[in-house]
Amino acid sequence: MAFTTKASIANFGGRLLKLSHKSATTGTDMAVSVFLPAQALAGSRVPVLIYLSGLTCSPDNCSEKGFFQHGAARHGVALVWPDTSPRGLNLPGEKDSWDFGEAASFYVDAARDPWSANYRMESYLTQELPSLLFGGQAKAGFEGADSLDGGRVSITGHSMGGHGALTLYLKHPGMYRSVSAFAPIANPSQCPWGEKAFTGYLGEDREEWKKHDATELVKGWKGGDLKMLIDVGTGDNFYKQKQLLPENFEQAVKGAGLSGLTLRYQDGYDHSYFFMSSFSDDHVAHAAKYLNA
Amino acid sequence: MAFTTKASIANFGGRLLKLSHKSATTGTDMAVSVFLPAQALAGSRVPVLIYLSGLTCSPDNCSEKGFFQHGAARHGVALVWPDTSPRGLNLPGEKDSWDFGEAASFYVDAARDPWSANYRMESYLTQELPSLLFGGQAKAGFEGADSLDGGRVSITGHSMGGHGALTLYLKHPGMYRSVSAFAPIANPSQCPWGEKAFTGYLGEDREEWKKHDATELVKGWKGGDLKMLIDVGTGDNFYKQKQLLPENFEQAVKGAGLSGLTLRYQDGYDHSYFFMSSFSDDHVAHAAKYLNA
């Protein structure tokens, strides 16, 4: 039984599960939360929307304040909130910054010491976690696990998690049926957050960074229609400070002649969960359109 | 200008305002948050739903986690989240308990020292706060204040705030067009939370307590149809521990031959914001039915 159930909470007609498990990929215990809609509890197979959180967050922030459950209940979609990094390793420098190290993995497999042994979030999210979550109840060990349809998965995320969602989607064609993002770090090679994180996790070679940068990755996309929704608030200070750079991403999409990007600038919205809760229904509906097709 | 605007945040097509003001009633600065739906920002007069929070909470908890904005945006209703007590007085014993003193006013006008000078939350909520909020923009001093229709107000609340909503509604016929509550302390004279708070704020005379106990007050209700919605989760530990006693309230309503109480037991739900967010749409719709009639 891979998962320990720390809490099972009635929510929007379904249940919110707070789980933890030992990860062979990160070498740590990992927290993950799952929302099972009523349809899943009633025995139906339901598709899954994975949400990747932003800097400093745990699975709790979005499950408490994002209100993705409202749309997920309506569309019969399960939600999965993974954590933002391994925790508790006490690596040198791991807790020195809020934008690097613990809760700031940037969802890459780190290449540099001391991070490379444990900060393997891309492998964790694309291999180990789905294999445990979608392997059935006997293996997973939590109520309702049999209802999760690992063949129908989409991905979304916020800020650093928006970067994670876009890059995992673009790096793994066919793994996710659609993608969306709130205020994603869309061109990390060109912004202070990304430069710091990529230098620390990947090293100084900027060519290597391109493999983990949505704006660079989309130039080589061969997967057809992008099935991609992005919202950015025009009142977002990180947008104004050029940490997000959605214009660069949009230009790359246009330059590559790709279709299927809906990029919306939401007037006056900031970077907070108040922004996400206002539009999470739209993002769940976007995913459900492809998941339930 | 009564209010200082600490934050103005885009949310669900409207704006969430974090306000503070000097209260003559409590002798302190008081925090209050307001959600103005898009209809208000566009110049329409909108009705108001006041939400009273539970023990330990501030205006932030429910405005972040309660999801009332979703329904309020749809129905064109403004929301007001007052604080749960005066703060910063440093009265003896004020911070010794989580269920008495600061953030635990029980929404009464205290009669005992050292509380009676400042813990006057009933007067604050029924007189000073509406007079400031609904007195127009020149007086209130925050954007959109002119849109608040102080003649159309309903009230709701959670736990201690459910007690507050029910008792203020029953004590002040005609002040609120409807009432609802999540997991209210419905018979405080008969439960440990209420006995502690009423002894501390009101004294030992249990006859005096009846004036602040929904189950006692409803026996004398002459206001006609109750227009009252109450939700209680069957998985709520405080319900199981007989802190809430909705059965006593229901029995009093029946004994008085009153109509208009909808009391729902929600299977498996607990006492948390996950419970409220799941049903806040229903409570806003209940209020809107009377506010927009």
Side-chain angles (χ1 to χ4, degrees):
Chain A
M1 305 235 289
F3 295 93
T4 301
T5 302
K6 305 279 191 179
S8 173
I9 302 166
N11 193 209
F12 282 100
R15 294 199 82 81
L16 174 68
L17 308 180
K18 298 189 181 192
L19 307 172
S20 77
H21 71 105
K22 291 191 185 305
S23 167
T25 309
T26 68
T28 64
D29 285 345
M30 292 294 289
V32 57
S33 290
V34 172
F35 172 71
L36 296 169
Q39 296 88 335
L41 300 180
S44 295
R45 295 273 283 176
V46 297
V48 179
L49 177 59
I50 296 172
Y51 171 94
L52 301 182
S53 299
L55 290 164
T56 78
C57 290
S58 76
D60 285 343
N61 302 72
C62 187
S63 56
E64 291 178 355
K65 301 197 260 187
F67 297 116
F68 287 74
Q69 295 96 310
H70 179 265
R74 178 182 305 174
H75 292 286
V77 172
L79 300 169
V80 173
W81 297 272
D83 207 346
T84 43
S85 79
R87 293 179 191 263
L89 288 161
N90 292 313
L91 301 175
E94 195 178 19
K95 298 192 182 193
D96 292 352
S97 310
W98 64 274
D99 56 3
F100 185 77
E102 196 163 286
S105 71
F106 275 75
Y107 303 109
V108 296
D109 284 358
R112 287 187 66 194
D113 290 336
W115 312 103
S116 58
N118 310 96
Y119 275 63
R120 303 180 60 225
M121 288 297 288
E122 179 174 349
S123 293
Y124 170 71
L125 291 169
T126 59
Q127 296 171 34
E128 186 184 19
L129 184 61
S131 124
L132 297 176
L133 275 178
F134 308 140
Q137 190 148 340
K139 182 175 179 184
F142 61 87
E143 62 177 302
D146 277 340
S147 69
L148 298 175
D149 184 351
R152 290 185 290 154
V153 180
S154 284
I155 193 162
T156 184
H158 173 232
S159 195
M160 176 184 75
H163 147 76
L166 294 176
T167 54
L168 294 185
Y169 178 81
L170 294 167
K171 287 194 231 185
H172 301 276
M175 183 172 284
Y176 308 106
R177 293 208 177 180
S178 66
V179 64
S180 75
F182 293 85
I185 303 171
N187 191 186
S189 303
Q190 302 298 325
C191 77
W193 275 340
E195 288 173 339
K196 178 177 179 177
F198 284 3
T199 301
Y201 294 131
L202 303 173
E204 304 286 347
D205 181 0
R206 286 179 172 253
E207 282 304 306
E208 198 60 31
W209 297 5
K210 293 184 177 177
K211 300 176 186 170
H212 309 280
D213 182 317
T215 295
E216 297 296 334
L217 286 164
V218 80
K219 296 173 184 172
W221 174 255
K222 306 291 183 201
D225 186 282
L226 282 168
K227 301 172 182 170
M228 183 181 289
L229 170 65
I230 298 176
D231 275 321
V232 179
T234 64
D236 182 331
N237 281 330
F238 298 122
Y239 168 59
K240 295 176 189 173
Q241 292 162 13
K242 302 197 183 302
Q243 294 279 22
L244 309 181
L245 302 171
E247 293 87 353
N248 293 6
F249 183 75
E250 186 177 31
Q251 191 171 353
V253 168
K254 285 183 179 167
L258 297 170
S259 64
L261 167 64
T262 301
L263 171 57
R264 309 187 301 188
Y265 290 94
Q266 301 290 1
D267 187 35
Y269 282 82
D270 64 16
H271 201 72
S272 74
Y273 285 90
F274 292 114
F275 165 49
M276 275 189 287
S277 62
S278 302
F279 300 102
S280 55
D281 270 1
D282 290 356
H283 286 243
V284 175
H286 170 78
K289 184 172 82 171
Y290 299 103
L291 292 170
N292 289 326
Chain B
M1 305 233 290
F3 295 93
T4 301
T5 302
K6 305 280 192 180
S8 172
I9 303 165
N11 192 209
F12 281 102
R15 294 197 82 81
L16 174 68
L17 308 181
K18 299 190 181 192
L19 307 172
S20 77
H21 71 104
K22 291 191 186 305
S23 166
T25 309
T26 67
T28 63
D29 285 346
M30 293 293 290
V32 57
S33 290
V34 172
F35 173 70
L36 296 169
Q39 297 89 335
L41 300 179
S44 295
R45 295 273 284 175
V46 297
V48 179
L49 176 60
I50 296 171
Y51 171 95
L52 301 182
S53 299
L55 291 164
T56 78
C57 290
S58 76
D60 285 344
N61 301 74
C62 186
S63 56
E64 292 178 356
K65 301 197 237 182
F67 201 46
F68 285 75
Q69 294 96 308
H70 179 265
R74 178 181 304 174
H75 292 285
V77 172
L79 301 169
V80 173
W81 297 271
D83 208 346
T84 44
S85 80
R87 293 180 191 263
L89 288 162
N90 291 313
L91 301 176
E94 194 177 19
K95 298 193 184 192
D96 291 353
S97 310
W98 64 273
D99 56 2
F100 185 78
E102 197 163 285
S105 70
F106 275 74
Y107 303 110
V108 296
D109 283 358
R112 287 188 66 195
D113 289 337
W115 313 103
S116 57
N118 311 97
Y119 275 64
R120 303 180 59 224
M121 289 296 288
E122 179 175 350
S123 293
Y124 170 71
L125 291 168
T126 59
Q127 295 171 35
E128 186 182 20
L129 183 62
S131 129
L132 297 176
L133 276 177
F134 308 141
Q137 189 149 339
K139 183 175 178 183
F142 61 86
E143 62 177 302
D146 277 341
S147 69
L148 298 175
D149 184 350
R152 290 186 289 155
V153 180
S154 285
I155 193 163
T156 184
H158 172 232
S159 195
M160 175 184 75
H163 147 76
L166 294 177
T167 54
L168 294 186
Y169 179 79
L170 294 167
K171 288 194 230 185
H172 301 276
M175 183 171 283
Y176 307 107
R177 293 208 176 180
S178 66
V179 64
S180 74
F182 293 85
I185 304 171
N187 190 187
S189 304
Q190 304 297 328
C191 77
W193 275 340
E195 289 174 338
K196 177 176 179 178
F198 284 3
T199 301
Y201 294 131
L202 303 173
E204 303 286 348
D205 181 2
R206 286 180 172 252
E207 282 304 306
E208 199 58 31
W209 296 6
K210 291 184 178 178
K211 301 175 185 169
H212 310 280
D213 182 318
T215 294
E216 298 297 334
L217 286 164
V218 80
K219 295 174 185 172
W221 174 255
K222 306 293 183 201
D225 186 282
L226 281 168
K227 301 172 181 169
M228 184 181 285
L229 170 65
I230 298 176
D231 276 322
V232 179
T234 65
D236 182 332
N237 281 329
F238 297 120
Y239 169 60
K240 295 177 189 171
Q241 293 162 13
K242 302 197 183 302
Q243 295 278 23
L244 309 181
L245 301 171
E247 293 87 354
N248 294 6
F249 183 75
E250 186 178 31
Q251 191 170 354
V253 168
K254 284 184 179 165
L258 298 170
S259 65
L261 167 64
T262 301
L263 171 57
R264 310 188 300 189
Y265 290 93
Q266 301 291 1
D267 187 36
Y269 281 83
D270 64 16
H271 200 73
S272 75
Y273 285 91
F274 292 115
F275 165 49
M276 276 190 286
S277 63
S278 302
F279 299 102
S280 54
D281 270 1
D282 291 355
H283 286 242
V284 175
H286 170 77
K289 186 171 80 171
Y290 299 103
L291 291 170
N292 290 326

